[in-house]
Amino acid sequence: MSEKSWLHSKWMLFIVACMAVLYILIMGNLLFVSGRTPGIYYQYNLVPFETIRPLLLERERYHTEAWVKNLFGNIVLFIPLGVWIPWLFRRCRTFLTFTSTVVLLLLCVEVTQLITRVGSFDVDDIILNTIGAWIGYAGFKLIVCSLRRTRN
């Protein structure tokens, strides 16, 4: 089976679309529902690297759980985004278009958190989430390249 027929077979697209819907539901729950209540004292961060810098440079100030959750959680949870967006949407296969789409999507999530006061608006979340999506995108590109090599 060729790369095109495998990547774009009806069954594979159906499976990827179902996984994307499941991912969106899980992330929606994590970002807007699970254990979060709208707060009177809402915190937000508009300064890039303001929350990342202390986590990296002053690691001893943080419990391992907080450190892992804030840095790696924000990266790992968005790796699937980097796989299914270019898989489902051909227009998002170039790096610039993909990155623009991801940043716009993440900005919408953060603004929704800001407006609803559920979660917290943090520009550093956008940075870390985008890094996670880039990792997924790189994985997607590696899969496509390896399929091309085995086909030739």
Side-chain angles (χ1 to χ4, degrees):
M1 194 176 261
S2 73
E3 166 217 332
K4 254 190 174 170
S5 62
W6 181 79
L7 280 177
H8 299 292
S9 70
K10 287 181 184 180
W11 285 108
M12 188 53 70
L13 288 174
F14 176 74
I15 290 167
V16 173
C18 287
M19 290 181 352
V21 168
L22 181 62
Y23 173 80
I24 289 168
L25 292 172
I26 290 168
M27 292 306 291
N29 182 50
L30 283 172
L31 294 169
F32 300 109
V33 180
S34 172
R36 299 181 188 261
T37 54
I40 297 170
Y41 302 105
Y42 185 76
Q43 295 180 344
Y44 57 90
N45 171 36
L46 301 174
V47 180
F49 301 103
E50 188 168 293
T51 55
I52 295 172
R53 189 180 306 108
L55 287 167
L56 291 174
L57 301 179
E58 303 167 24
R59 189 183 171 320
E60 65 281 349
R61 283 184 38 201
Y62 300 93
H63 295 288
T64 302
E65 180 184 343
W67 190 80
V68 169
K69 180 182 171 190
N70 283 306
L71 284 179
F72 294 106
N74 275 316
I75 293 172
V76 171
L77 286 174
F78 287 85
I79 291 173
L81 196 68
V83 174
W84 66 260
I85 284 180
W87 202 323
L88 294 174
F89 305 102
R90 285 180 180 237
R91 287 185 170 170
C92 294
R93 291 208 176 147
T94 65
F95 184 75
L96 187 58
T97 305
F98 169 78
T99 300
S100 301
T101 302
V102 166
V103 170
L104 184 62
L105 180 65
L106 294 171
L107 185 61
C108 288
V109 167
E110 293 295 322
V111 168
T112 301
Q113 288 181 327
L114 179 68
I115 292 169
T116 61
R117 293 181 164 230
V118 175
S120 64
F121 182 98
D122 191 340
V123 71
D124 287 348
D125 285 350
I126 295 172
I127 293 167
L128 292 170
N129 298 162
T130 301
I131 291 169
W134 283 342
I135 293 168
Y137 179 80
F140 173 79
K141 287 295 195 175
L142 286 172
I143 291 169
V144 169
C145 287
S146 73
L147 288 172
R148 284 183 185 149
R149 270 189 242 128
T150 58
R151 196 179 89 201
N152 292 334

